[in-house]
Amino acid sequence: MYADQETIRRILTESGDTWAVVGLSSNQGRAAYRVAEVLQRFGKRVVPVHPKAETVHGEQGYPSLDAIPFDVDVVDVFVNSELAGKVADEAVSIGAKAVWFQLGVIDEQAYGRTREAGLDMVMDRCPAIEIPQLT
């Protein structure tokens, strides 16, 4: 419903290769850690965004999206649905091209706001599942 195949393809192949992964830390047991590995294997630059600002997968982390000193193409969101809308709004404010809410992350109002702002958005899907199907 919130992820047509054309939007998924466009985000994964045309939106750009710098992905800020909100919620990514060095905790190897978390889904964000494994998804970031897959994105890197497919040529994406993965930028960790987490209050700890840890270096993960060789990339320096930042405490927030607005702390990243370079352009971000896609914001991949691994936070609870209650917090995801704020992240989507921040993605719009930093000039990202797309927002991706992970499996189980749903905020219909944020989806509407983000789309109205002109960004592509996918919700309740996983890029690590989708990207191998495109090759």
Side-chain angles (χ1 to χ4, degrees):
M1 179 172 170
Y2 298 105
D4 64 90
Q5 284 306 118
E6 177 56 27
T7 302
I8 289 170
R9 187 201 59 74
R10 189 169 48 249
I11 292 172
L12 291 171
T13 64
E14 298 175 17
S15 291
D17 291 332
T18 301
W19 284 53
V21 181
V22 179
L24 176 57
S25 71
S26 62
N27 183 342
Q28 296 181 21
R30 304 287 303 196
Y33 189 90
R34 295 185 304 279
V35 169
E37 280 183 317
V38 172
L39 290 170
Q40 278 189 325
R41 274 202 313 272
F42 281 88
K44 307 300 181 189
R45 178 182 184 189
V46 173
V47 181
V49 179
H50 190 280
K52 294 180 184 176
E54 300 172 301
T55 297
V56 183
H57 299 307
E59 288 284 346
Q60 177 181 336
Y62 297 90
S64 62
L65 287 173
D66 63 0
I68 300 172
F70 46 84
D71 291 341
V72 169
D73 300 310
V74 181
V75 176
D76 188 6
V77 182
F78 275 93
V79 299
N80 294 330
S81 295
E82 300 79 40
L83 304 173
K86 181 177 184 282
V87 176
D89 295 340
E90 291 170 1
V92 171
S93 72
I94 66 162
K97 298 173 189 163
V99 175
W100 192 298
F101 280 10
Q102 283 293 325
L103 291 170
V105 180
I106 299 170
D107 182 330
E108 293 178 8
Q109 289 77 27
Y111 181 86
R113 288 192 310 271
T114 303
R115 297 291 297 135
E116 284 176 20
L119 281 70
D120 279 331
M121 184 164 180
V122 170
M123 188 162 65
D124 194 27
R125 297 294 276 271
C126 179
I129 294 170
E130 302 294 337
I131 200 167
Q133 298 176 29
L134 297 175
T135 58

mmCIF file of all heavy atoms in Angstrom, residues 35-83:
data_model
loop_
_atom_site.group_PDB
_atom_site.id
_atom_site.type_symbol
_atom_site.label_atom_id
_atom_site.label_comp_id
_atom_site.label_asym_id
_atom_site.label_seq_id
_atom_site.Cartn_x
_atom_site.Cartn_y
_atom_site.Cartn_z
ATOM 1 N N VAL A 35 21.002 -4.761 7.856
ATOM 2 C CA VAL A 35 20.496 -4.093 6.654
ATOM 3 C C VAL A 35 21.564 -3.159 6.089
ATOM 4 O O VAL A 35 21.773 -3.105 4.873
ATOM 5 C CB VAL A 35 19.183 -3.339 6.955
ATOM 6 C CG1 VAL A 35 18.800 -2.426 5.802
ATOM 7 C CG2 VAL A 35 18.061 -4.343 7.247
ATOM 8 N N ALA A 36 22.264 -2.450 6.960
ATOM 9 C CA ALA A 36 23.328 -1.550 6.508
ATOM 10 C C ALA A 36 24.417 -2.328 5.774
ATOM 11 O O ALA A 36 24.951 -1.860 4.762
ATOM 12 C CB ALA A 36 23.918 -0.784 7.693
ATOM 13 N N GLU A 37 24.741 -3.527 6.246
ATOM 14 C CA GLU A 37 25.725 -4.370 5.558
ATOM 15 C C GLU A 37 25.273 -4.693 4.138
ATOM 16 O O GLU A 37 26.064 -4.633 3.195
ATOM 17 C CB GLU A 37 25.931 -5.691 6.320
ATOM 18 C CG GLU A 37 26.839 -5.598 7.499
ATOM 19 C CD GLU A 37 27.041 -6.961 8.151
ATOM 20 O OE1 GLU A 37 26.066 -7.725 8.313
ATOM 21 O OE2 GLU A 37 28.192 -7.248 8.508
ATOM 22 N N VAL A 38 24.016 -5.044 3.986
ATOM 23 C CA VAL A 38 23.485 -5.367 2.664
ATOM 24 C C VAL A 38 23.544 -4.136 1.761
ATOM 25 O O VAL A 38 23.979 -4.219 0.608
ATOM 26 C CB VAL A 38 22.044 -5.916 2.757
ATOM 27 C CG1 VAL A 38 21.432 -6.072 1.380
ATOM 28 C CG2 VAL A 38 22.029 -7.247 3.507
ATOM 29 N N LEU A 39 23.124 -2.995 2.270
ATOM 30 C CA LEU A 39 23.162 -1.767 1.465
ATOM 31 C C LEU A 39 24.584 -1.475 0.996
ATOM 32 O O LEU A 39 24.799 -1.098 -0.160
ATOM 33 C CB LEU A 39 22.586 -0.595 2.253
ATOM 34 C CG LEU A 39 21.079 -0.640 2.496
ATOM 35 C CD1 LEU A 39 20.664 0.448 3.485
ATOM 36 C CD2 LEU A 39 20.318 -0.517 1.186
ATOM 37 N N GLN A 40 25.559 -1.651 1.878
ATOM 38 C CA GLN A 40 26.956 -1.429 1.489
ATOM 39 C C GLN A 40 27.383 -2.399 0.395
ATOM 40 O O GLN A 40 28.076 -2.011 -0.541
ATOM 41 C CB GLN A 40 27.884 -1.564 2.697
ATOM 42 C CG GLN A 40 27.958 -0.319 3.542
ATOM 43 C CD GLN A 40 29.044 -0.424 4.595
ATOM 44 O OE1 GLN A 40 29.318 -1.498 5.148
ATOM 45 N NE2 GLN A 40 29.665 0.703 4.889
ATOM 46 N N ARG A 41 26.983 -3.654 0.504
ATOM 47 C CA ARG A 41 27.331 -4.642 -0.531
ATOM 48 C C ARG A 41 26.803 -4.228 -1.899
ATOM 49 O O ARG A 41 27.378 -4.587 -2.917
ATOM 50 C CB ARG A 41 26.789 -6.026 -0.163
ATOM 51 C CG ARG A 41 27.708 -6.804 0.726
ATOM 52 C CD ARG A 41 27.457 -8.299 0.650
ATOM 53 N NE ARG A 41 26.069 -8.716 0.745
ATOM 54 C CZ ARG A 41 25.424 -8.969 1.888
ATOM 55 N NH1 ARG A 41 26.027 -8.824 3.044
ATOM 56 N NH2 ARG A 41 24.167 -9.371 1.863
ATOM 57 N N PHE A 42 25.715 -3.498 -1.911
ATOM 58 C CA PHE A 42 25.126 -3.045 -3.166
ATOM 59 C C PHE A 42 25.563 -1.627 -3.525
ATOM 60 O O PHE A 42 24.928 -0.964 -4.343
ATOM 61 C CB PHE A 42 23.601 -3.163 -3.115
ATOM 62 C CG PHE A 42 23.118 -4.565 -3.337
ATOM 63 C CD1 PHE A 42 22.986 -5.446 -2.277
ATOM 64 C CD2 PHE A 42 22.835 -5.027 -4.615
ATOM 65 C CE1 PHE A 42 22.565 -6.748 -2.477
ATOM 66 C CE2 PHE A 42 22.406 -6.325 -4.821
ATOM 67 C CZ PHE A 42 22.276 -7.195 -3.757
ATOM 68 N N GLY A 43 26.655 -1.167 -2.914
ATOM 69 C CA GLY A 43 27.269 0.086 -3.328
ATOM 70 C C GLY A 43 26.768 1.348 -2.660
ATOM 71 O O GLY A 43 27.127 2.455 -3.078
ATOM 72 N N LYS A 44 25.957 1.215 -1.627
ATOM 73 C CA LYS A 44 25.448 2.394 -0.934
ATOM 74 C C LYS A 44 26.439 2.832 0.150
ATOM 75 O O LYS A 44 27.057 2.004 0.808
ATOM 76 C CB LYS A 44 24.084 2.127 -0.287
ATOM 77 C CG LYS A 44 23.031 1.578 -1.222
ATOM 78 C CD LYS A 44 22.738 2.496 -2.380
ATOM 79 C CE LYS A 44 21.657 1.937 -3.291
ATOM 80 N NZ LYS A 44 21.518 2.700 -4.521
ATOM 81 N N ARG A 45 26.573 4.138 0.317
ATOM 82 C CA ARG A 45 27.316 4.675 1.459
ATOM 83 C C ARG A 45 26.320 4.781 2.604
ATOM 84 O O ARG A 45 25.302 5.456 2.496
ATOM 85 C CB ARG A 45 27.870 6.054 1.137
ATOM 86 C CG ARG A 45 28.613 6.661 2.314
ATOM 87 C CD ARG A 45 29.128 8.039 2.008
ATOM 88 N NE ARG A 45 29.921 8.529 3.130
ATOM 89 C CZ ARG A 45 30.366 9.766 3.230
ATOM 90 N NH1 ARG A 45 30.128 10.644 2.271
ATOM 91 N NH2 ARG A 45 31.066 10.126 4.280
ATOM 92 N N VAL A 46 26.612 4.109 3.696
ATOM 93 C CA VAL A 46 25.705 4.045 4.834
ATOM 94 C C VAL A 46 26.248 4.944 5.941
ATOM 95 O O VAL A 46 27.353 4.731 6.434
ATOM 96 C CB VAL A 46 25.559 2.586 5.325
ATOM 97 C CG1 VAL A 46 24.756 2.528 6.594
ATOM 98 C CG2 VAL A 46 24.938 1.726 4.244
ATOM 99 N N VAL A 47 25.454 5.940 6.320
ATOM 100 C CA VAL A 47 25.862 6.901 7.349
ATOM 101 C C VAL A 47 25.038 6.629 8.606
ATOM 102 O O VAL A 47 23.817 6.814 8.597
ATOM 103 C CB VAL A 47 25.630 8.346 6.861
ATOM 104 C CG1 VAL A 47 26.078 9.339 7.925
ATOM 105 C CG2 VAL A 47 26.341 8.592 5.538
ATOM 106 N N PRO A 48 25.694 6.195 9.693
ATOM 107 C CA PRO A 48 24.957 5.920 10.931
ATOM 108 C C PRO A 48 24.448 7.213 11.577
ATOM 109 O O PRO A 48 25.190 8.189 11.691
ATOM 110 C CB PRO A 48 26.003 5.260 11.838
ATOM 111 C CG PRO A 48 27.152 4.911 10.960
ATOM 112 C CD PRO A 48 27.113 5.849 9.805
ATOM 113 N N VAL A 49 23.183 7.194 11.986
ATOM 114 C CA VAL A 49 22.605 8.304 12.738
ATOM 115 C C VAL A 49 22.024 7.712 14.017
ATOM 116 O O VAL A 49 21.077 6.922 13.976
ATOM 117 C CB VAL A 49 21.516 9.040 11.928
ATOM 118 C CG1 VAL A 49 20.912 10.169 12.761
ATOM 119 C CG2 VAL A 49 22.081 9.566 10.616
ATOM 120 N N HIS A 50 22.642 8.088 15.125
ATOM 121 C CA HIS A 50 22.286 7.510 16.425
ATOM 122 C C HIS A 50 22.828 8.460 17.492
ATOM 123 O O HIS A 50 23.894 9.048 17.291
ATOM 124 C CB HIS A 50 22.938 6.121 16.554
ATOM 125 C CG HIS A 50 22.474 5.340 17.726
ATOM 126 N ND1 HIS A 50 22.953 5.545 18.999
ATOM 127 C CD2 HIS A 50 21.563 4.335 17.827
ATOM 128 C CE1 HIS A 50 22.372 4.704 19.829
ATOM 129 N NE2 HIS A 50 21.520 3.959 19.138
ATOM 130 N N PRO A 51 22.137 8.606 18.616
ATOM 131 C CA PRO A 51 22.648 9.519 19.656
ATOM 132 C C PRO A 51 24.095 9.247 20.070
ATOM 133 O O PRO A 51 24.825 10.170 20.424
ATOM 134 C CB PRO A 51 21.684 9.291 20.826
ATOM 135 C CG PRO A 51 20.412 8.847 20.176
ATOM 136 C CD PRO A 51 20.834 8.047 18.967
ATOM 137 N N LYS A 52 24.535 7.982 19.974
ATOM 138 C CA LYS A 52 25.918 7.646 20.339
ATOM 139 C C LYS A 52 26.932 8.084 19.281
ATOM 140 O O LYS A 52 28.125 8.136 19.557
ATOM 141 C CB LYS A 52 26.061 6.139 20.571
ATOM 142 C CG LYS A 52 25.297 5.617 21.764
ATOM 143 C CD LYS A 52 25.513 4.117 21.881
ATOM 144 C CE LYS A 52 24.705 3.515 23.006
ATOM 145 N NZ LYS A 52 24.863 2.058 23.037
ATOM 146 N N ALA A 53 26.467 8.354 18.056
ATOM 147 C CA ALA A 53 27.329 8.782 16.940
ATOM 148 C C ALA A 53 28.538 7.867 16.762
ATOM 149 O O ALA A 53 29.662 8.317 16.566
ATOM 150 C CB ALA A 53 27.764 10.238 17.128
ATOM 151 N N GLU A 54 28.301 6.577 16.824
ATOM 152 C CA GLU A 54 29.375 5.593 16.681
ATOM 153 C C GLU A 54 29.775 5.405 15.217
ATOM 154 O O GLU A 54 28.962 5.595 14.316
ATOM 155 C CB GLU A 54 28.902 4.232 17.195
ATOM 156 C CG GLU A 54 28.497 4.202 18.646
ATOM 157 C CD GLU A 54 27.865 2.870 19.018
ATOM 158 O OE1 GLU A 54 26.852 2.483 18.426
ATOM 159 O OE2 GLU A 54 28.423 2.224 19.919
ATOM 160 N N THR A 55 31.021 5.003 15.015
ATOM 161 C CA THR A 55 31.457 4.569 13.697
ATOM 162 C C THR A 55 30.959 3.137 13.503
ATOM 163 O O THR A 55 31.174 2.275 14.351
ATOM 164 C CB THR A 55 32.993 4.633 13.575
ATOM 165 O OG1 THR A 55 33.389 5.998 13.708
ATOM 166 C CG2 THR A 55 33.465 4.083 12.244
ATOM 167 N N VAL A 56 30.266 2.900 12.384
ATOM 168 C CA VAL A 56 29.705 1.584 12.093
ATOM 169 C C VAL A 56 30.013 1.261 10.635
ATOM 170 O O VAL A 56 29.856 2.116 9.758
ATOM 171 C CB VAL A 56 28.181 1.557 12.323
ATOM 172 C CG1 VAL A 56 27.615 0.156 12.086
ATOM 173 C CG2 VAL A 56 27.822 2.050 13.720
ATOM 174 N N HIS A 57 30.461 0.049 10.389
ATOM 175 C CA HIS A 57 30.800 -0.389 9.024
ATOM 176 C C HIS A 57 31.775 0.582 8.364
ATOM 177 O O HIS A 57 31.704 0.837 7.164
ATOM 178 C CB HIS A 57 29.554 -0.553 8.157
ATOM 179 C CG HIS A 57 28.569 -1.573 8.655
ATOM 180 N ND1 HIS A 57 28.933 -2.863 8.959
ATOM 181 C CD2 HIS A 57 27.234 -1.487 8.907
ATOM 182 C CE1 HIS A 57 27.868 -3.531 9.370
ATOM 183 N NE2 HIS A 57 26.833 -2.718 9.357
ATOM 184 N N GLY A 58 32.680 1.155 9.155
ATOM 185 C CA GLY A 58 33.705 2.041 8.615
ATOM 186 C C GLY A 58 33.252 3.461 8.345
ATOM 187 O O GLY A 58 34.040 4.277 7.861
ATOM 188 N N GLU A 59 32.022 3.794 8.655
ATOM 189 C CA GLU A 59 31.497 5.138 8.423
ATOM 190 C C GLU A 59 31.280 5.858 9.749
ATOM 191 O O GLU A 59 30.674 5.302 10.673
ATOM 192 C CB GLU A 59 30.164 5.085 7.655
ATOM 193 C CG GLU A 59 30.308 4.695 6.213
ATOM 194 C CD GLU A 59 30.851 5.818 5.331
ATOM 195 O OE1 GLU A 59 30.879 6.994 5.760
ATOM 196 O OE2 GLU A 59 31.251 5.507 4.197
ATOM 197 N N GLN A 60 31.725 7.105 9.802
ATOM 198 C CA GLN A 60 31.528 7.925 10.998
ATOM 199 C C GLN A 60 30.047 8.136 11.236
ATOM 200 O O GLN A 60 29.281 8.381 10.307
ATOM 201 C CB GLN A 60 32.194 9.288 10.825
ATOM 202 C CG GLN A 60 31.971 10.212 12.007
ATOM 203 C CD GLN A 60 32.607 11.571 11.809
ATOM 204 O OE1 GLN A 60 33.552 11.714 11.045
ATOM 205 N NE2 GLN A 60 32.099 12.561 12.499
ATOM 206 N N GLY A 61 29.641 8.053 12.500
ATOM 207 C CA GLY A 61 28.256 8.285 12.864
ATOM 208 C C GLY A 61 28.014 9.721 13.270
ATOM 209 O O GLY A 61 28.949 10.463 13.609
ATOM 210 N N TYR A 62 26.758 10.112 13.244
ATOM 211 C CA TYR A 62 26.333 11.460 13.617
ATOM 212 C C TYR A 62 25.141 11.346 14.557
ATOM 213 O O TYR A 62 24.331 10.426 14.433
ATOM 214 C CB TYR A 62 25.962 12.268 12.368
ATOM 215 C CG TYR A 62 27.153 12.466 11.464
ATOM 216 C CD1 TYR A 62 27.447 11.548 10.462
ATOM 217 C CD2 TYR A 62 28.011 13.540 11.651
ATOM 218 C CE1 TYR A 62 28.567 11.703 9.656
ATOM 219 C CE2 TYR A 62 29.134 13.704 10.848
ATOM 220 C CZ TYR A 62 29.404 12.786 9.859
ATOM 221 O OH TYR A 62 30.523 12.945 9.075
ATOM 222 N N PRO A 63 25.002 12.295 15.491
ATOM 223 C CA PRO A 63 23.913 12.202 16.467
ATOM 224 C C PRO A 63 22.533 12.551 15.895
ATOM 225 O O PRO A 63 21.515 12.204 16.491
ATOM 226 C CB PRO A 63 24.321 13.199 17.540
ATOM 227 C CG PRO A 63 25.182 14.197 16.827
ATOM 228 C CD PRO A 63 25.901 13.410 15.767
ATOM 229 N N SER A 64 22.493 13.221 14.748
ATOM 230 C CA SER A 64 21.217 13.618 14.150
ATOM 231 C C SER A 64 21.413 13.844 12.657
ATOM 232 O O SER A 64 22.549 14.002 12.186
ATOM 233 C CB SER A 64 20.702 14.900 14.798
ATOM 234 O OG SER A 64 21.618 15.952 14.567
ATOM 235 N N LEU A 65 20.321 13.895 11.922
ATOM 236 C CA LEU A 65 20.416 14.134 10.479
ATOM 237 C C LEU A 65 21.034 15.490 10.176
ATOM 238 O O LEU A 65 21.854 15.620 9.270
ATOM 239 C CB LEU A 65 19.032 14.040 9.831
ATOM 240 C CG LEU A 65 18.426 12.651 9.703
ATOM 241 C CD1 LEU A 65 16.991 12.740 9.209
ATOM 242 C CD2 LEU A 65 19.257 11.784 8.777
ATOM 243 N N ASP A 66 20.653 16.505 10.944
ATOM 244 C CA ASP A 66 21.162 17.846 10.652
ATOM 245 C C ASP A 66 22.625 18.037 11.034
ATOM 246 O O ASP A 66 23.233 19.043 10.684
ATOM 247 C CB ASP A 66 20.277 18.940 11.253
ATOM 248 C CG ASP A 66 20.209 18.899 12.766
ATOM 249 O OD1 ASP A 66 20.843 18.033 13.398
ATOM 250 O OD2 ASP A 66 19.500 19.757 13.320
ATOM 251 N N ALA A 67 23.210 17.051 11.700
ATOM 252 C CA ALA A 67 24.636 17.111 12.032
ATOM 253 C C ALA A 67 25.519 16.565 10.908
ATOM 254 O O ALA A 67 26.736 16.738 10.935
ATOM 255 C CB ALA A 67 24.914 16.333 13.320
ATOM 256 N N ILE A 68 24.926 15.914 9.923
ATOM 257 C CA ILE A 68 25.693 15.342 8.810
ATOM 258 C C ILE A 68 26.157 16.483 7.912
ATOM 259 O O ILE A 68 25.327 17.243 7.400
ATOM 260 C CB ILE A 68 24.848 14.321 8.019
ATOM 261 C CG1 ILE A 68 24.405 13.182 8.941
ATOM 262 C CG2 ILE A 68 25.636 13.773 6.833
ATOM 263 C CD1 ILE A 68 23.412 12.216 8.309
ATOM 264 N N PRO A 69 27.471 16.617 7.686
ATOM 265 C CA PRO A 69 27.997 17.776 6.963
ATOM 266 C C PRO A 69 28.035 17.632 5.443
ATOM 267 O O PRO A 69 28.755 18.364 4.764
ATOM 268 C CB PRO A 69 29.411 17.908 7.534
ATOM 269 C CG PRO A 69 29.812 16.508 7.839
ATOM 270 C CD PRO A 69 28.543 15.825 8.301
ATOM 271 N N PHE A 70 27.281 16.702 4.898
ATOM 272 C CA PHE A 70 27.230 16.499 3.450
ATOM 273 C C PHE A 70 25.807 16.092 3.090
ATOM 274 O O PHE A 70 24.980 15.807 3.960
ATOM 275 C CB PHE A 70 28.248 15.448 2.994
ATOM 276 C CG PHE A 70 28.259 14.197 3.831
ATOM 277 C CD1 PHE A 70 27.350 13.167 3.597
ATOM 278 C CD2 PHE A 70 29.174 14.047 4.865
ATOM 279 C CE1 PHE A 70 27.346 12.019 4.368
ATOM 280 C CE2 PHE A 70 29.184 12.897 5.653
ATOM 281 C CZ PHE A 70 28.267 11.882 5.397
ATOM 282 N N ASP A 71 25.513 16.083 1.792
ATOM 283 C CA ASP A 71 24.165 15.757 1.333
ATOM 284 C C ASP A 71 23.830 14.284 1.560
ATOM 285 O O ASP A 71 24.685 13.413 1.394
ATOM 286 C CB ASP A 71 24.024 16.071 -0.158
ATOM 287 C CG ASP A 71 24.044 17.563 -0.455
ATOM 288 O OD1 ASP A 71 23.814 18.361 0.474
ATOM 289 O OD2 ASP A 71 24.291 17.925 -1.615
ATOM 290 N N VAL A 72 22.603 14.062 1.929
ATOM 291 C CA VAL A 72 22.066 12.717 2.121
ATOM 292 C C VAL A 72 20.977 12.508 1.079
ATOM 293 O O VAL A 72 20.121 13.371 0.888
ATOM 294 C CB VAL A 72 21.481 12.569 3.542
ATOM 295 C CG1 VAL A 72 20.670 11.285 3.677
ATOM 296 C CG2 VAL A 72 22.587 12.630 4.585
ATOM 297 N N ASP A 73 21.017 11.365 0.399
ATOM 298 C CA ASP A 73 20.028 11.074 -0.628
ATOM 299 C C ASP A 73 18.778 10.408 -0.072
ATOM 300 O O ASP A 73 17.661 10.784 -0.402
ATOM 301 C CB ASP A 73 20.649 10.175 -1.707
ATOM 302 C CG ASP A 73 21.842 10.832 -2.371
ATOM 303 O OD1 ASP A 73 21.723 12.000 -2.791
ATOM 304 O OD2 ASP A 73 22.900 10.179 -2.455
ATOM 305 N N VAL A 74 18.983 9.393 0.771
ATOM 306 C CA VAL A 74 17.867 8.614 1.307
ATOM 307 C C VAL A 74 18.034 8.514 2.819
ATOM 308 O O VAL A 74 19.139 8.274 3.312
ATOM 309 C CB VAL A 74 17.828 7.195 0.694
ATOM 310 C CG1 VAL A 74 16.652 6.386 1.244
ATOM 311 C CG2 VAL A 74 17.771 7.258 -0.835
ATOM 312 N N VAL A 75 16.926 8.666 3.542
ATOM 313 C CA VAL A 75 16.917 8.484 4.996
ATOM 314 C C VAL A 75 16.149 7.201 5.280
ATOM 315 O O VAL A 75 14.960 7.090 4.973
ATOM 316 C CB VAL A 75 16.283 9.691 5.716
ATOM 317 C CG1 VAL A 75 16.195 9.418 7.217
ATOM 318 C CG2 VAL A 75 17.101 10.957 5.451
ATOM 319 N N ASP A 76 16.859 6.216 5.835
ATOM 320 C CA ASP A 76 16.312 4.896 6.163
ATOM 321 C C ASP A 76 16.040 4.892 7.666
ATOM 322 O O ASP A 76 16.953 5.119 8.463
ATOM 323 C CB ASP A 76 17.345 3.843 5.771
ATOM 324 C CG ASP A 76 16.831 2.425 5.867
ATOM 325 O OD1 ASP A 76 15.635 2.225 6.128
ATOM 326 O OD2 ASP A 76 17.643 1.499 5.683
ATOM 327 N N VAL A 77 14.801 4.638 8.060
ATOM 328 C CA VAL A 77 14.355 4.881 9.435
ATOM 329 C C VAL A 77 14.101 3.579 10.192
ATOM 330 O O VAL A 77 13.211 2.809 9.843
ATOM 331 C CB VAL A 77 13.090 5.765 9.431
ATOM 332 C CG1 VAL A 77 12.637 6.074 10.851
ATOM 333 C CG2 VAL A 77 13.347 7.059 8.647
ATOM 334 N N PHE A 78 14.904 3.376 11.251
ATOM 335 C CA PHE A 78 14.800 2.207 12.129
ATOM 336 C C PHE A 78 14.382 2.618 13.533
ATOM 337 O O PHE A 78 14.894 2.077 14.499
ATOM 338 C CB PHE A 78 16.161 1.508 12.237
ATOM 339 C CG PHE A 78 16.440 0.542 11.135
ATOM 340 C CD1 PHE A 78 17.133 0.951 10.013
ATOM 341 C CD2 PHE A 78 16.042 -0.777 11.213
ATOM 342 C CE1 PHE A 78 17.431 0.068 9.000
ATOM 343 C CE2 PHE A 78 16.328 -1.670 10.199
ATOM 344 C CZ PHE A 78 17.018 -1.245 9.086
ATOM 345 N N VAL A 79 13.504 3.587 13.669
ATOM 346 C CA VAL A 79 13.020 3.973 14.988
ATOM 347 C C VAL A 79 11.554 3.594 15.105
ATOM 348 O O VAL A 79 10.904 3.275 14.110
ATOM 349 C CB VAL A 79 13.215 5.491 15.256
ATOM 350 C CG1 VAL A 79 14.694 5.862 15.197
ATOM 351 C CG2 VAL A 79 12.408 6.347 14.299
ATOM 352 N N ASN A 80 11.030 3.629 16.314
ATOM 353 C CA ASN A 80 9.626 3.296 16.534
ATOM 354 C C ASN A 80 8.716 4.225 15.742
ATOM 355 O O ASN A 80 9.047 5.391 15.505
ATOM 356 C CB ASN A 80 9.282 3.409 18.018
ATOM 357 C CG ASN A 80 10.004 2.380 18.856
ATOM 358 O OD1 ASN A 80 10.299 1.279 18.378
ATOM 359 N ND2 ASN A 80 10.313 2.720 20.087
ATOM 360 N N SER A 81 7.566 3.711 15.380
ATOM 361 C CA SER A 81 6.608 4.486 14.591
ATOM 362 C C SER A 81 6.278 5.829 15.248
ATOM 363 O O SER A 81 6.084 6.829 14.555
ATOM 364 C CB SER A 81 5.320 3.681 14.394
ATOM 365 O OG SER A 81 5.574 2.526 13.623
ATOM 366 N N GLU A 82 6.246 5.872 16.586
ATOM 367 C CA GLU A 82 5.913 7.111 17.288
ATOM 368 C C GLU A 82 6.969 8.200 17.051
ATOM 369 O O GLU A 82 6.675 9.389 17.155
ATOM 370 C CB GLU A 82 5.784 6.878 18.794
ATOM 371 C CG GLU A 82 4.708 5.886 19.192
ATOM 372 C CD GLU A 82 5.132 4.430 19.005
ATOM 373 O OE1 GLU A 82 6.304 4.072 19.294
ATOM 374 O OE2 GLU A 82 4.287 3.638 18.531
ATOM 375 N N LEU A 83 8.189 7.814 16.751
ATOM 376 C CA LEU A 83 9.286 8.768 16.527
ATOM 377 C C LEU A 83 9.573 8.998 15.044
ATOM 378 O O LEU A 83 10.279 9.936 14.680
ATOM 379 C CB LEU A 83 10.566 8.249 17.195
ATOM 380 C CG LEU A 83 10.483 7.953 18.694
ATOM 381 C CD1 LEU A 83 11.760 7.280 19.173
ATOM 382 C CD2 LEU A 83 10.205 9.219 19.470
#
